[in-house]
Amino acid sequence: MTATPTPAAPGRAGLAQDDIAMKLLLINGPNLNLLGLREPATYGHATLAEVERAAAAEAARMGAELAPWQSNHEGAIVERIHAAHTEGVAGIVINAGAYTHTSIAIRDALAATALPFVEVHISNVHAREPFRHRSYLSAMAAGIVVGFGVDGYRLAVQGLVRRLSAG
Ligand code: DQA
């Protein structure tokens, strides 16, 4: 009698434990290094390190691996997106900060790599100044999480892993 192979045990999020962890990249753009100090009425009191830890923990809970990264420089963000493509990153969570509203270069980098990404904004940008209503990224995003405070990063990780797992 031929033995039936035992399927890999599912992880907590239903991913096989034996699979190589899905690699995700979290990109935070300009001024987000100042989270915790910066306009707390709008952005809350959590620091960037706390936000990154929570996002990485959520990814791990879902069987994925998240690398956090932040820069205040547009070109550096473009180059980080290019590098993600060659590193085997499966998807990106990005809060491009003010570059969301201005950067065709970041938009083009995301389009060039064709990596699925979720756009996050801590604040509800649509309830703020008109210049924050336009995003160069949204039309290409797999999803957008806006206005849930720093909890949005955790929600974005969940949405991205589910989307990537669905194929
Ligand atoms: C932000 C909103 C942007 O308009 C702003 O420039 C930021 C943060 C947010 O997370 O709410 O830097 O992306």
Side-chain angles (χ1 to χ4, degrees):
M1 192 173 102
T2 343
T4 316
T6 315
R12 300 231 319 256
L15 299 173
Q17 295 285 349
D18 294 346
D19 288 352
I20 295 165
M22 176 191 289
K23 281 166 78 169
L24 307 179
L25 174 65
L26 169 62
I27 296 178
N28 273 293
N31 301 306
L32 292 160
N33 54 312
L34 298 182
L35 281 180
L37 299 173
R38 175 191 184 197
E39 303 175 74
T42 303
Y43 298 114
H45 294 277
T47 64
L48 179 62
E50 288 166 345
V51 165
E52 290 176 341
R53 268 198 300 276
E58 186 63 22
R61 194 185 69 80
M62 299 192 76
E65 199 177 274
L66 177 138
W69 186 85
Q70 188 274 335
S71 175
N72 294 317
H73 303 281
E74 184 177 20
I77 295 171
V78 167
E79 287 175 356
R80 189 66 194 87
I81 293 166
H82 295 174
H85 186 52
T86 55
E87 286 166 7
V89 165
I92 297 176
V93 172
I94 182 166
N95 182 349
Y99 287 142
T100 306
H101 318 300
T102 63
S103 181
I104 297 170
I106 292 174
R107 181 222 174 273
D108 283 354
L110 289 162
T113 60
L115 286 172
F117 71 91
V118 175
E119 176 182 349
V120 176
H121 298 288
I122 298 166
S123 63
N124 179 358
V125 284
H126 299 289
R128 300 180 65 193
E129 303 94 323
F131 63 82
R132 295 186 205 276
H133 298 180
R134 178 179 70 179
S135 165
Y136 279 108
L137 312 185
S138 295
M140 293 184 317
I144 308 165
V145 183
V146 169
F148 286 103
V150 295
D151 214 25
Y153 290 95
R154 192 174 54 77
L155 299 172
V157 168
Q158 282 179 10
L160 184 58
V161 172
R162 289 208 180 103
R163 175 66 63 90
L164 291 168
S165 305

